[in-house]
Structures are given as structure tokens and as C-alpha cells.
Amino acid sequence: STLNDFTMVLKSYLQEKLGEIKELEEQIENLRNETNYTLMQKDKESREELQLMRADREREKRADKERYEMMVEKLAAAHTMHEEQTKRMNEDFERRMREVDHQYESRLAQEYEKQ
């Protein structure tokens, strides 16, 4: 190395530039930390929001299941009531038919006796 290969720099200038470099490195590190913190906060918020959405869906699912079960119970009750009404109507019809048959037979017997 010759003297031409070296450059003269003031020690104060060099210290100033090294200080600026160190300051920029600290800014980069601070920015990196802030970015990581922000990302972690966003991730946490997203997980919490997802958890709330899942809880809402679960509540909706339970409510839908309860409504469905209530509808099934009402339908079963309606079928039972319909079957009971049909049975009563059939029994009433059969009873009336027996009464009509009995009346008809009585009239027929009376008419036969008159002759």
C-alpha cells in the first residue's frame, strides 16, 4: 500500500458518520420491533374476531337446533291431534250409522207389522 491508497478523513467526521450509521441501525431495529408488535396485535385481533364469529355461529346453530326440535314437536303434536280427531270422527260416524241402521230396521219392522 502506498500513501496514495489512503484517504485522509477527520476523526470527528468519521465519528459523526459512524454515529449516523448507528442511529439509522437503531431506527431500523425500532421499526422492525414496531412492525412485529403491530403484526402480533393484528394477529391477536384476528384470532379474537374469529373466536367471536365461531361463538356466534355456535349460538346460531344451537338456536336453529332448538327451533327445529320445537317444529318437530309441534308437527308430532299436530299428527297426534289429527289422528285423534280422525279416530273420533270415525267412531262418531260408525255410531251414527248404527243408529240410522237401527232406526231403519225399526221402521221396516213397523211397516211390516202394519201389513
Side-chain angles (χ1 to χ4, degrees), residues 11-27:
K11 189 173 186 178
S12 61
Y13 177 78
L14 183 59
Q15 291 297 337
E16 183 184 329
K17 293 302 173 189
L18 288 173
E20 288 176 10
I21 290 172
K22 184 172 182 167
E23 198 175 297
L24 287 172
E25 287 174 342
E26 288 174 0
Q27 288 177 1

Side-chain angles (χ1 to χ4, degrees), residues 50-74:
L50 182 61
Q51 190 175 17
L52 288 173
M53 288 172 60
R54 284 181 178 155
D56 286 345
R57 296 299 166 262
E58 195 60 37
R59 260 193 307 280
E60 289 174 3
K61 184 178 171 182
R62 280 194 304 272
D64 288 345
K65 182 178 179 184
E66 289 172 9
R67 278 195 300 274
Y68 174 77
E69 288 172 354
M70 190 181 338
M71 289 171 55
V72 167
E73 288 174 11
K74 285 181 179 180

Side-chain angles (χ1 to χ4, degrees):
S1 291
T2 65
L3 196 54
N4 290 335
D5 291 339
F6 294 99
T7 304
M8 294 287 267
V9 177
L10 290 176
K11 189 173 186 178
S12 61
Y13 177 78
L14 183 59
Q15 291 297 337
E16 183 184 329
K17 293 302 173 189
L18 288 173
E20 288 176 10
I21 290 172
K22 184 172 182 167
E23 198 175 297
L24 287 172
E25 287 174 342
E26 288 174 0
Q27 288 177 1
I28 289 172
E29 186 62 29
N30 287 339
L31 186 59
R32 184 178 290 130
N33 290 337
E34 288 175 18
T35 302
N36 285 339
Y37 177 77
T38 302
L39 287 173
M40 286 182 354
Q41 286 298 108
K42 290 288 184 186
D43 185 52
K44 180 182 175 188
E45 290 171 9
S46 295
R47 280 186 271 122
E48 289 172 354
E49 189 175 328
L50 182 61
Q51 190 175 17
L52 288 173
M53 288 172 60
R54 284 181 178 155
D56 286 345
R57 296 299 166 262
E58 195 60 37
R59 260 193 307 280
E60 289 174 3
K61 184 178 171 182
R62 280 194 304 272
D64 288 345
K65 182 178 179 184
E66 289 172 9
R67 278 195 300 274
Y68 174 77
E69 288 172 354
M70 190 181 338
M71 289 171 55
V72 167
E73 288 174 11
K74 285 181 179 180
L75 180 62
H79 279 297
T80 301
M81 186 175 79
H82 175 72
E83 288 173 4
E84 290 172 357
Q85 283 180 330
T86 302
K87 182 179 176 184
R88 270 195 308 275
M89 289 172 65
N90 284 338
E91 290 171 352
D92 288 347
F93 177 77
E94 289 174 10
R95 181 182 45 77
R96 279 189 250 132
M97 288 304 294
R98 283 192 300 270
E99 289 173 1
V100 168
D101 280 348
H102 181 68
Q103 289 173 359
Y104 178 74
E105 287 176 8
S106 294
R107 285 184 193 155
L108 193 59
Q110 286 174 356
E111 288 295 322
Y112 184 70
E113 288 177 8
K114 285 181 183 178
Q115 291 182 353

